[in-house]
Amino acid sequence: MDNSHSQFGGQSKIRWLIEKTSEDWVNLAISNPMEILLDHAHCERKAAGVALQLMFRYVSEPGLSAVLSPLAREELEHFERVLSILNSRGRKLEKLVSPPYGAILAKNIRKDEPRRMLDSFLVAGLIEARSHERMTLLSIHSPDLELRNLYSDLLKSEARHFGIYWRLADERFDRNTLTSRLEELAKVESDALVEMHQEPRMHS
Ligand SMILES: [Fe+2]
Ligand SMILES: [Fe+2]
């Protein structure tokens, strides 16, 4: 697995992800566009929360807030954009049962520093990479033009966010430590999707 950031130029080059998303997921997602949209709104809200949480946890870490603050703002803009489409289609931000994905990844973040910081960056980056991959699929396969446009706009940011978390890790940890831990967590990430949650979700 070659994980260098420079590899991450195009949509098919997400080297972080061990397993590609299945066709079954794509079919389930495009047959349930409103549920995916609602879940997507929650994902953007949570992505903003993760960036803020890291910024607050490592408040004195040089260079971190300067990167994570605009990232959190951008995720909130995504949230607002998805929310406005939901509202325009007569839906609100209803509660939704989350798939086990996020909890499984969170459980694999080690508790002791600095390993906690490394794992937190890598897990956040993996989620961004998966979001990017899935939005790319939706931007191609969704039969709904407004949604295709939404996903194709947002996926570019998710690619950049993946790069941001990679750089945050790469600036602070040696490359061998980073890549070997990334491989372990990438396996956890792909396995978390194997037992597919029955409900249509961005990360089921
Ligand atoms: Fe986003
Ligand atoms: Fe993102």
Side-chain angles (χ1 to χ4, degrees):
M1 185 163 66
D2 182 341
N3 302 302
S4 66
H5 170 56
S6 59
Q7 295 273 342
F8 196 71
Q11 52 185 250
S12 60
K13 294 184 181 171
I14 306 173
R15 303 294 171 99
W16 283 35
L17 303 177
I18 289 183
E19 296 287 344
K20 276 200 227 157
T21 285
S22 68
E23 220 178 293
D24 285 350
W25 180 85
V26 177
N27 290 332
L28 186 68
I30 63 175
S31 318
N32 296 277
M34 292 312 289
E35 208 164 339
I36 289 291
L37 201 59
L38 182 56
D39 186 53
H40 183 187
H42 286 294
C43 289
E44 297 291 0
R45 171 180 72 72
K46 289 178 200 169
V50 165
L52 278 181
Q53 192 187 42
L54 289 171
M55 186 177 139
F56 290 175
R57 187 194 300 158
Y58 304 113
V59 68
S60 323
E61 175 71 19
L64 205 68
S65 300
V67 172
L68 290 179
S69 175
L71 194 152
R73 247 187 304 130
E74 202 178 2
E75 299 292 22
L76 284 179
E77 279 168 18
H78 294 176
F79 168 71
E80 289 163 31
R81 180 159 174 201
V82 179
L83 190 59
S84 85
I85 296 179
L86 269 176
N87 291 343
S88 74
R89 296 180 178 210
R91 298 289 292 265
K92 295 196 192 86
L93 188 66
E94 297 137 44
K95 279 191 184 164
L96 209 54
V97 177
S98 300
Y101 179 81
I104 292 171
L105 284 169
K107 219 171 62 193
N108 279 275
I109 294 175
R110 292 167 296 186
K111 304 278 183 285
D112 54 308
E113 297 292 1
R115 300 198 304 179
R116 186 183 185 204
M117 179 192 266
L118 173 64
D119 290 0
S120 299
F121 291 153
L122 294 179
V123 162
L126 279 164
I127 297 171
E128 295 286 351
R130 184 63 72 186
S131 300
H132 175 269
E133 186 221 21
R134 293 201 159 175
M135 284 185 205
T136 304
L137 290 167
L138 294 174
S139 75
I140 296 165
H141 298 289
S142 172
D144 183 320
L145 177 64
E146 187 182 32
L147 297 183
R148 280 205 305 279
N149 288 339
L150 169 76
Y151 295 121
S152 74
D153 285 351
L154 296 191
L155 69 89
K156 295 164 204 144
S157 308
E158 307 313 342
R160 201 160 27 72
H161 297 168
F162 155 90
I164 286 171
Y165 282 115
W166 167 264
R167 269 194 307 280
L168 286 174
D170 198 36
E171 284 160 5
R172 291 167 178 83
F173 298 89
D174 76 77
R175 190 58 79 87
N176 288 341
T177 307
L178 204 166
T179 51
S180 69
R181 184 57 181 156
L182 176 58
E183 255 176 89
E184 291 168 3
L185 289 171
K187 175 90 174 68
V188 171
E189 194 273 343
S190 283
D191 288 352
L193 294 172
V194 167
E195 278 184 46
M196 197 163 99
H197 193 62
Q198 295 308 304
E199 312 291 324
R201 299 287 185 269
M202 282 303 271
H203 300 103
S204 62

